[in-house]
C-alpha cells in the first residue's frame, strides 16, 4: 500500500520539503525491520484517519443541510454543528437570544471579565465563521453581533418552521456581506480623510472680502467736531469752524460760479461781517453765560446746604430720642428700687 502512494499524498508540501532538506544534510543510518514495520503501521493509521475525516465531513454536511439549512448557509457546517452541540439541541438553541449565541463557547472569559470588571468578550464559537474571519480586526465585534442576531432567527426558523429550504439564510448572508462592505468603506473613508492635507479653518471676519485682502467697510476717520475744548461754548466752536471753512473755500475760485453759489457766498460774507463788526454782542453773550453759571452754582450750594441741614436735624432728633429712652429707663429703675428694699426688709423680719 505504501509503495503505490507518494509522499505528497501522505504528508503536506511543507513537511515534505523539510524531509528532503534533512535527507540531504543528515548522515543517515540503517533501518531495521522492526523500525520499518512501525513506520508502515503509522502511515496506515494516518491514511485511515484522513479518509475517516473526509467521510465524517460529508456526513456532517448532509445532516446539517437537512436539519438546519439556514444556519449552515450563514455560519457553515462545522460552526453550526458546534453551536448545536454546545446548546444541547436545535430546540434548546432556538430558545436562546442572539446575545447568548454570540458568546457561546466563551463562558469562562465572560465570567472572568464580569468578576474582574473588565471588557466582556465579543465572540465565542462564531469567531470561526467565514464572515467574522473576513472582517478587519476593528469590525469583528460588530459583524459577530449582527451575525449572532441573524443566526438566532435562522435557528428558530429551522427548528420551528415548516419549509426546509435555505432561502432565508442565503438572503441574510448577502445582507451581512453588504454590511461588511459598507463598514469597510467607511473605515477606508476615515483613513483617507485623516491625511495631512486637510483644509485649514480660518476665523470668520465680516469686514474682510472673500478674494482680496482689503476691507469692505472704509477705515474710520478722525472727527474733530466731537472734541470738547475747555473755556469755550459750543456756539463759539461752531463759528470758528465756519470761519475756517470759509477761509479754505475762498482761494479755490477757478470756474465761474452759478447764481445759487453766488447767493450762498453772499450769505456767508454777511455772517462773517456781522461776527467781526459786533464784538459787543459776543461780550454780552459771554457775560450772560457767566451769570447763568453763577446762578447755577448758587442753586447747587443751596441744595447741598439744605441736605446737610436735614442730616443734622435727623441726627439731633435721634440723640433726643436716645436721651428720652435713657431717662425713662432710669425712672423705672428708681421706681423698682424701693419695692425691692421693702421685700428685703420683709424677708429679714
Amino acid at each position: 500500500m505504501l509503495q503505490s502512494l507518494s509522499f505528497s499524498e501522505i504528508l503536506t508540501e511543507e513537511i515534505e520539503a523539510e524531509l528532503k532538506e534533512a535527507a540531504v544534510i543528515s548522515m543517515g543510518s540503517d533501518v531495521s525491520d522492526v523500525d520499518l514495520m512501525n513506520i508502515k503501521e503509522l502511515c496506515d493509521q494516518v491514511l485511515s484517519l484522513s479518509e475517516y475525516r473526509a467521510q465524517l465531513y460529508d456526513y456532517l454536511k448532509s445532516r446539517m443541510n437537512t436539519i438546519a439549512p439556514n444556519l449552515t448557509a450563514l455560519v457553515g457546517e462545522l460552526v453550526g454543528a458546534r453551536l448545536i452541540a454546545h446548546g444541547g439541541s436545535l430546540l434548546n438553541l432556538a430558545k436562546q437570544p442572539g446575545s447568548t449565541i454570540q458568546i457561546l463557547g466563551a463562558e469562562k472569559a465572560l465570567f472572568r471579565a464580569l468578576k474582574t470588571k473588565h471588557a466582556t468578550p465579543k465572540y465565542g464559537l462564531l469567531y470561526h465563521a467565514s464572515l467574522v474571519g473576513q472582517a478587519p480586526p476593528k469590525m469583528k465585534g460588530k459583524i459577530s453581533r449582527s451575525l449572532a442576531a441573524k443566526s438566532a432567527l435562522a435557528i428558530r426558523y429551522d427548528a420551528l418552521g415548516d419549509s426546509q429550504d435555505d432561502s432565508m439564510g442565503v438572503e441574510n448572508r448577502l445582507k451581512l456581506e453588504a454590511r461588511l462592505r459598507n463598514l469597510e468603506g467607511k473605515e477606508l473613508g476615515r483613513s483617507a480623510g485623516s491625511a495631512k492635507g486637510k483644509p485649514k479653518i480660518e476665523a470668520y471676519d465680516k469686514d474682510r472680502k472673500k478674494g482680496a485682502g482689503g476691507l469692505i467697510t472704509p477705515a474710520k476717520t478722525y472727527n474733530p467736531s466731537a472734541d470738547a475744548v475747555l473755556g469755550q461754548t459750543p456756539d463759539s466752536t461752531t463759528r470758528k469752524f465756519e470761519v475756517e471753512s470759509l477761509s479754505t473755500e475762498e482761494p479755490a475760485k477757478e470756474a465761474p460760479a452759478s447764481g445759487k453759489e453766488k447767493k450762498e457766498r453772499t450769505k456767508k460774507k454777511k455772517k462773517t461781517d456781522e461776527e467781526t463788526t459786533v464784538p459787543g454782542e459776543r461780550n454780552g453773550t459771554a457775560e450772560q453765560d457767566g451769570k447763568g453759571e453763577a446762578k447755577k452754582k448758587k442753586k447747587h450750594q443751596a441744595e447741598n446746604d439744605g441736605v446737610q441741614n436735614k442730616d443734622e436735624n435727623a441726627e439731633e432728633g435721634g440723640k433726643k430720642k436716645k436721651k428720652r429712652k435713657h431717662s425713662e429707663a432710669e425712672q423705672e429703675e428708681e421706681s423698682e428700687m424701693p419695692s425691692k428694699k421693702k421685700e428685703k426688709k420683709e424677708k429679714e423680719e
Side-chain angles (χ1 to χ4, degrees):
M1 188 176 177
L2 278 170
Q3 291 176 358
S4 63
L5 294 172
S6 61
F7 277 111
S8 61
E9 294 179 3
I10 300 170
L11 305 173
T12 60
E13 293 180 358
E14 295 177 357
I15 298 171
E16 185 181 356
E18 289 177 1
L19 280 172
K20 285 180 179 179
E21 289 177 1
V24 171
I25 297 167
S26 65
M27 298 295 291
S29 61
D30 295 331
V31 180
S32 62
D33 296 334
V34 178
D35 296 333
L36 189 60
M37 184 178 66
N38 289 322
I39 291 167
K40 286 179 181 179
E41 287 178 357
L42 182 60
C43 291
D44 291 335
Q45 288 177 5
V46 170
L47 290 170
S48 62
L49 285 172
S50 62
E51 289 175 0
Y52 177 67
R53 184 180 180 182
Q55 290 174 5
L56 192 62
Y57 181 72
D58 293 334
Y59 168 74
L60 183 65
K61 191 175 181 179
S62 63
R63 292 300 296 163
M64 284 298 295
N65 283 324
T66 55
I67 293 168
N70 294 294
L71 183 62
T72 53
L74 269 174
V75 177
E77 294 86 5
L78 283 172
V79 179
R82 286 175 182 173
L83 286 171
I84 292 168
H86 202 85
S89 67
L90 188 64
L91 194 62
N92 288 337
L93 199 64
K95 295 174 185 177
Q96 303 295 333
S99 58
T100 306
I101 292 168
Q102 183 183 353
I103 304 170
L104 274 178
E107 290 87 357
K108 194 181 286 186
L110 174 67
F111 291 122
R112 191 193 309 121
L114 292 172
K115 189 176 180 180
T116 56
K117 294 182 182 179
H118 288 296
T120 54
K122 296 177 182 177
Y123 29 69
L125 293 170
L126 287 177
Y127 181 79
H128 302 287
S130 59
L131 283 168
V132 179
Q134 291 171 10
K138 289 184 180 179
M139 301 296 165
K140 283 185 188 293
K142 289 183 179 180
I143 291 296
S144 65
R145 185 170 64 249
S146 54
L147 179 62
K150 296 293 184 186
S151 59
L153 292 174
I155 289 163
R156 289 165 193 168
Y157 186 76
D158 291 333
L160 306 169
D162 296 331
S163 61
Q164 295 293 325
D165 59 339
D166 59 347
S167 59
M168 182 184 176
V170 173
E171 187 180 351
N172 287 333
R173 186 179 177 87
L174 292 172
K175 287 180 182 178
L176 288 170
E177 287 174 352
R179 176 171 167 74
L180 178 60
R181 285 194 297 272
N182 189 14
L183 289 171
E184 286 176 351
K186 283 183 181 178
E187 191 67 25
L188 288 171
R190 285 177 188 170
S191 61
S194 62
K196 291 182 180 179
K198 278 188 175 181
K200 291 183 179 180
I201 299 169
E202 296 181 355
Y204 174 71
D205 190 1
K206 65 177 182 179
D207 294 333
R208 195 164 291 281
K209 293 180 182 177
K210 290 182 180 179
L215 293 173
I216 295 169
T217 56
K220 292 181 180 179
T221 57
Y222 180 69
N223 186 13
S225 63
D227 292 341
V229 184
L230 293 172
Q232 290 183 357
T233 59
D235 296 330
S236 61
T237 54
T238 53
R239 285 171 185 170
K240 277 186 178 181
F241 283 118
E242 287 177 357
V243 171
E244 288 176 359
S245 63
L246 287 170
S247 63
T248 54
E249 286 177 357
E250 283 176 356
K253 292 179 180 178
E254 295 178 359
S258 62
K260 290 182 180 179
E261 292 177 355
K262 285 180 180 179
K263 288 179 181 180
E264 290 175 358
R265 286 176 184 174
T266 53
K267 287 180 181 179
K268 289 177 181 178
K269 284 181 180 179
K270 287 179 180 179
K271 287 181 181 179
T272 52
D273 292 332
E274 288 174 359
E275 289 172 0
T276 54
T277 55
V278 190
E281 291 179 0
R282 287 186 186 176
N283 295 326
T285 55
E287 289 174 359
Q288 288 176 0
D289 294 334
K291 289 178 180 178
E293 289 177 357
K295 287 180 180 179
K296 288 181 181 179
K297 286 181 180 179
K298 287 179 180 179
K299 286 182 180 179
H300 286 299
Q301 286 178 358
E303 289 176 357
N304 292 328
D305 293 333
V307 172
Q308 288 177 359
N309 291 327
K310 286 180 182 178
D311 294 334
E312 290 174 356
N313 292 329
E315 288 177 357
E316 288 175 357
K319 288 179 180 179
K320 287 179 180 178
K321 287 181 181 179
K322 287 181 181 179
K323 287 180 179 179
R324 286 175 187 172
K325 288 181 181 179
H326 189 65
S327 61
E328 288 176 357
E330 288 178 352
Q331 289 176 2
E332 288 177 358
E333 287 177 358
E334 289 174 358
S335 62
E336 288 175 0
M337 285 296 291
S339 62
K340 288 181 181 179
K341 288 179 180 179
K342 288 178 181 179
E343 290 177 358
K344 284 182 180 180
K345 288 179 180 179
E346 290 175 356
K347 287 180 182 179
E348 289 174 357
E349 291 172 356

